[in-house]
Amino acid sequence: MDLDPSGHDAADPLAPFRDRFSPAPGVVAYLDGNSLGRPPAATAERIAAFVRDEWGARLIRGWDEGWWETPTTLGDRLGALALGAGPGQVVLADSTTVLLYKLARAAVAARPGRTEIVVDTRDFPTDRYLLGGIAAERGLTLRPITTDPAAGVTPSQIADVVGPSTALVSLSHVAYWSGWRADMEQITGIAHDAGALVLWDLSHSVGSVPLELDGWGADLAAGCSYKYLNGGPGAPAFAYARRDLLPSLNQPVQGWTGRRDPFAMAPGYDPEPGVRRLLSGTPPVLGLLPLTVSLEMLAEAGVDAVRAKSEKLTEYVIALVDARLAPFGVTIGSPRDVAHRGGHVTLRVPGARELVTGMQERGVIPDFREPDGIRIGPAPLSTSFTEVRDGLAVLEELLSAG
Amino acid sequence: MDLDPSGHDAADPLAPFRDRFSPAPGVVAYLDGNSLGRPPAATAERIAAFVRDEWGARLIRGWDEGWWETPTTLGDRLGALALGAGPGQVVLADSTTVLLYKLARAAVAARPGRTEIVVDTRDFPTDRYLLGGIAAERGLTLRPITTDPAAGVTPSQIADVVGPSTALVSLSHVAYWSGWRADMEQITGIAHDAGALVLWDLSHSVGSVPLELDGWGADLAAGCSYKYLNGGPGAPAFAYARRDLLPSLNQPVQGWTGRRDPFAMAPGYDPEPGVRRLLSGTPPVLGLLPLTVSLEMLAEAGVDAVRAKSEKLTEYVIALVDARLAPFGVTIGSPRDVAHRGGHVTLRVPGARELVTGMQERGVIPDFREPDGIRIGPAPLSTSFTEVRDGLAVLEELLSAG
């Protein structure tokens, strides 16, 4: 691969999108789009307009003019655009942690008599912590699998551990550390053969890799909207539940928003038949506004074009590391095979924490991940090849300066 | 009380605040500040500036520059200003429903062997639904009390039902329907004498009536920030837990944000010793911005001045109803004694639903509440006495037109 970025940028059909993001003065390279996506420039005004023209001018009437349905109207849009999910299966609400909790609780209740939850010991902490809590409170057992740190979960690992005791398998689709992309379709099939459900954390997938939840037979999924979806710091999350599972899913946080005919304020909880049964509290309408902007941009770009650029960006990261950084002891902690790779690449190098600090002081922003990871997450809509080259050049300078 | 509003407005020390809210063209009277508070005009630009200058320009570095601590820094500010709570006891996160769930679960776990949860059958639906769910999943029993619809829970009602079986008493401080203001201090004392904990829903109290959670010996509380706190539609909620209870409070939604040293991403959940143990997912930083603006305004006005005007506004509502609407069969569904009244007044009248529709068509916005309630919630910072008069005059017109 050509190490000169100019040709890649010139050939990049998504290059014009980069100028549509809010400027970041002094930032030489933002390589952390997989942690917090940049805001489109239109986002600030979109929110301000909402505050003035909807919240401020429509006031309480807004609830009858679309706000109340935001979790599902926006959920359907996200589902169609980025999840491969037909309507009526996606909501936006809460945080990823809370939605994972609700889905996991509903899942184990839907598999009574089964006693095990399969969990990846290298999964993102929230997933591990919450499943540990659920196992303890429901009298279940965690069945841990330990994945290759530079790769991730394989179908054969799942085949080895699932069986008649398995209630739920909980996995990340793209691993937060290595960027490994799991084979959702095959793993789901293996779990289904054992009668188990699978819950996918899509936080590092959505908006970066194409997803076909319906097509792959997925059961349950949740994820974050502030990474590749540019939803803003701490934005609400999304949850997916396959339509035919919904009647059997009873999540424990029974609030008025998940109840049938909520404004009747009637006695007793009677969940909505549809996907709104996953909701609990009042829809976070204002917090979801940035997502409305970025979904429009994603629709314009197209998820396939996003993935095509992402593949090339991560390939370029690997080529630069091999050519320029390997001599300093930097190795690739991510899959080299693009078929197994998500949208980010983690470099492994001793002193990673200090190197990331040095990079940040020079306007280059990747992420440090314990113990020795420098995570490079170029966002296809906002990151150029030149930016990647400039960012890694700073790392090279730091390494060569010792 | 003088039915002419002009003198009241002229004497109102908070009158200048009204012009600092975002305009609502065509709205004659907004009488629903207890459902959704109006945005200060400064809110739109504050959010836009955050998107440009913090999210957009600081990017991921913002998490180290105060964002991560937002739930507690803003929580402490809210606690000092409006809750009577010392630092380290309040977080902002999630929704009211999710926080009530976490607190109630933690509370019943902190009272092992006790089997009952006392619940008000007229409490807001979310509170009833979620306690029903918790009772079912934890093998507990709901001990219902039924309050006077035009009033609310009394200390003697609680004294009648609490005992050695009571784990938790869950109540609203100000009733969503009647506006009854419970005696938190006395009820808490009665529950404590029985060894039980009390969880208060402050959604209709906060920013409207003075609260002294520390002084009243409160255990646990949660509430909404989009009513009198002007946090915007679906804004994150707040939770309070008394400092000395924290070590015994284990909430079930174990996420990375509630863990000690979260970025170590270590195995096993080990909750933060302090109030952050109530957190689960990534802090909703962007969704909390409107609250930062309105808390500044509330600090400037002072909660005591807010309450003083609120008392006068609700007194004025009652006086107008008695003088002008009672002949049409309108009665007061709220406490007439200001000592028992929160910040809103509910009128009872046959055909309330249709009357509210008619009022809205004429630019007057109250709330309809099943079965016969027209809820009038004047927000002291944004509502004038003239507005109240004009709004109720429209109701009078509708009634006199039959």
Side-chain angles (χ1 to χ4, degrees):
Chain A
M1 193 176 194
D2 190 349
L3 296 185
D4 180 346
S6 53
H8 303 311
D9 281 325
D12 173 16
L14 300 183
F17 282 94
R18 191 157 178 268
D19 291 335
R20 290 163 61 181
F21 286 85
S22 197
V27 174
V28 174
Y30 188 58
L31 304 175
D32 215 356
N34 63 323
S35 180
L36 179 70
R38 292 175 60 186
T43 299
E45 178 49 27
R46 182 74 63 92
I47 304 178
F50 175 86
V51 172
R52 287 190 307 262
D53 304 335
E54 293 206 51
W55 173 15
R58 301 308 302 162
L59 297 159
I60 197 74
R61 297 169 293 185
W63 289 115
D64 295 326
E65 295 167 354
W67 296 355
W68 189 255
E69 289 74 30
T70 307
T72 43
T73 49
L74 203 54
D76 284 349
R77 205 183 314 164
L78 175 66
L81 187 59
L83 302 179
Q89 303 177 110
V90 180
V91 289
L92 283 143
D94 298 325
S95 64
T96 309
T97 303
V98 169
L99 288 177
L100 287 170
Y101 178 82
K102 295 201 276 191
L103 290 173
R105 283 286 311 274
V108 299
R111 288 294 179 271
R114 291 174 171 248
T115 56
E116 289 185 356
I117 302 174
V118 175
V119 53
D120 174 1
T121 61
R122 293 194 198 277
D123 206 351
F124 188 74
T126 262
D127 305 69
R128 295 186 276 110
Y129 301 155
L130 76 88
L131 293 170
I134 290 172
E137 66 167 285
R138 305 314 294 172
L140 304 171
T141 307
L142 291 187
R143 178 78 181 253
I145 58 167
T146 297
T147 49
D148 180 341
V153 61
T154 61
S156 69
Q157 281 183 299
I158 298 303
D160 287 347
V161 294
V162 295
S165 300
T166 314
L168 178 67
V169 177
S170 173
L171 296 168
S172 284
H173 179 235
V174 170
Y176 85 100
W177 208 96
S178 70
W180 171 267
R181 184 163 59 130
D183 187 330
M184 187 187 293
E185 185 170 22
Q186 213 181 334
I187 288 173
T188 299
I190 290 165
H192 285 180
D193 288 345
L197 294 168
V198 188
L199 170 59
W200 292 97
D201 185 335
L202 304 180
S203 293
H204 282 275
S205 313
V206 66
S208 166
V209 301
L211 292 160
E212 293 293 342
L213 298 186
D214 286 351
W216 296 336
D219 301 313
L220 306 165
C224 159
S225 76
Y226 54 76
K227 298 178 186 291
Y228 297 106
L229 292 181
N230 311 84
F238 67 90
Y240 164 92
R242 202 179 64 234
R243 190 175 292 106
D244 64 286
L245 284 178
L246 284 169
S248 65
L249 293 178
N250 292 299
Q251 58 89 3
V253 189
Q254 299 182 172
W256 71 316
T257 311
R259 194 190 187 283
R260 193 195 296 259
D261 196 9
F263 290 94
M265 304 199 169
Y269 185 71
D270 178 18
E272 276 272 6
V275 73
R276 288 185 73 95
R277 62 170 48 205
L278 299 181
L279 303 177
S280 302
T282 303
V285 178
L286 194 140
L288 285 168
L289 278 173
L291 185 60
T292 63
V293 179
S294 41
L295 286 187
E296 289 165 18
M297 198 179 273
L298 186 62
E300 198 184 328
V303 171
D304 289 337
V306 165
R307 173 61 183 173
K309 181 172 174 184
S310 174
E311 290 184 357
K312 202 169 164 189
L313 280 164
T314 51
E315 202 70 25
Y316 186 54
V317 170
I318 292 171
L320 284 171
V321 170
D322 287 345
R324 313 295 304 259
L325 304 180
F328 298 100
V330 179
T331 60
I332 299 293
S334 296
R336 285 181 172 271
D337 180 355
V338 69
H340 292 305
R341 199 165 67 225
H344 66 271
V345 175
T346 298
L347 320 185
R348 306 189 69 169
V349 55
R353 185 194 293 270
E354 295 71 26
L355 287 165
V356 166
T357 302
M359 291 169 83
Q360 290 213 6
E361 285 165 2
R362 287 157 184 79
V364 177
I365 308 179
D367 231 343
F368 166 70
R369 279 293 172 259
E370 293 277 4
D372 62 353
I374 300 179
R375 206 171 59 168
I376 307 293
L381 294 181
S382 61
T383 314
S384 68
F385 292 85
T386 300
E387 197 177 353
V388 169
R389 193 272 317 267
D390 292 349
L392 294 182
V394 166
L395 177 55
E396 185 182 352
E397 282 168 32
L398 289 167
L399 288 162
S400 63
Chain B
M1 193 176 193
D2 191 348
L3 296 186
D4 179 345
S6 54
H8 303 311
D9 281 324
D12 172 15
L14 300 183
F17 282 93
R18 192 159 177 267
D19 290 334
R20 290 163 61 180
F21 286 84
S22 197
V27 174
V28 174
Y30 188 59
L31 303 176
D32 215 358
N34 63 321
S35 181
L36 179 71
R38 292 176 59 185
T43 298
E45 178 48 29
R46 182 74 63 91
I47 304 178
F50 174 87
V51 172
R52 287 190 307 262
D53 305 335
E54 293 205 52
W55 172 16
R58 300 308 301 161
L59 296 159
I60 198 72
R61 296 169 293 187
W63 288 116
D64 295 325
E65 296 167 351
W67 296 355
W68 189 254
E69 289 74 29
T70 307
T72 44
T73 50
L74 202 53
D76 284 350
R77 206 182 312 164
L78 175 67
L81 187 59
L83 302 179
Q89 303 178 110
V90 180
V91 289
L92 283 143
D94 298 324
S95 64
T96 309
T97 303
V98 169
L99 288 176
L100 287 170
Y101 178 82
K102 295 201 275 192
L103 290 173
R105 282 286 311 273
V108 298
R111 287 293 178 273
R114 289 173 173 250
T115 55
E116 289 185 357
I117 302 174
V118 175
V119 54
D120 174 2
T121 60
R122 292 193 197 277
D123 206 350
F124 188 74
T126 260
D127 305 68
R128 295 185 275 110
Y129 301 154
L130 76 89
L131 292 169
I134 290 172
E137 67 167 285
R138 306 314 292 173
L140 304 171
T141 307
L142 291 187
R143 178 79 181 253
I145 58 168
T146 297
T147 50
D148 179 341
V153 62
T154 61
S156 69
Q157 281 183 298
I158 297 303
D160 286 347
V161 294
V162 294
S165 301
T166 314
L168 178 67
V169 177
S170 174
L171 296 167
S172 284
H173 179 236
V174 170
Y176 85 99
W177 209 97
S178 70
W180 171 268
R181 183 162 60 129
D183 187 330
M184 187 186 294
E185 185 170 22
Q186 213 180 334
I187 288 174
T188 299
I190 291 165
H192 285 182
D193 287 345
L197 293 168
V198 188
L199 170 59
W200 291 97
D201 186 335
L202 304 179
S203 293
H204 281 276
S205 313
V206 66
S208 167
V209 301
L211 292 160
E212 293 294 342
L213 297 187
D214 288 351
W216 296 337
D219 301 313
L220 306 165
C224 159
S225 76
Y226 54 77
K227 299 177 184 292
Y228 296 106
L229 293 181
N230 310 84
F238 68 90
Y240 164 91
R242 202 178 66 232
R243 188 176 293 105
D244 64 286
L245 283 179
L246 284 170
S248 65
L249 293 178
N250 292 299
Q251 59 89 2
V253 189
Q254 300 182 172
W256 71 315
T257 310
R259 193 190 188 283
R260 193 193 297 260
D261 196 8
F263 290 94
M265 303 199 170
Y269 186 70
D270 178 18
E272 275 272 6
V275 72
R276 287 186 73 94
R277 61 171 45 206
L278 299 181
L279 302 178
S280 301
T282 303
V285 178
L286 194 140
L288 286 167
L289 278 172
L291 186 59
T292 64
V293 179
S294 40
L295 286 187
E296 289 164 19
M297 198 180 272
L298 186 62
E300 197 184 328
V303 171
D304 289 338
V306 165
R307 171 62 182 172
K309 181 172 175 186
S310 173
E311 290 183 358
K312 203 169 165 189
L313 281 164
T314 51
E315 202 71 25
Y316 186 55
V317 170
I318 293 170
L320 285 171
V321 170
D322 287 345
R324 313 295 303 261
L325 305 180
F328 299 100
V330 179
T331 60
I332 299 294
S334 296
R336 286 181 172 271
D337 179 354
V338 70
H340 293 306
R341 198 167 67 227
H344 67 270
V345 175
T346 298
L347 320 185
R348 307 190 69 169
V349 56
R353 186 194 292 272
E354 294 70 27
L355 287 165
V356 166
T357 302
M359 292 168 83
Q360 290 213 6
E361 284 165 3
R362 288 157 183 80
V364 177
I365 309 180
D367 231 344
F368 166 69
R369 280 294 172 259
E370 292 279 2
D372 61 353
I374 299 179
R375 207 170 59 168
I376 306 294
L381 293 181
S382 60
T383 312
S384 68
F385 291 86
T386 300
E387 198 177 354
V388 169
R389 194 272 319 264
D390 291 348
L392 293 183
V394 165
L395 177 56
E396 185 182 351
E397 282 168 33
L398 289 167
L399 288 163
S400 63

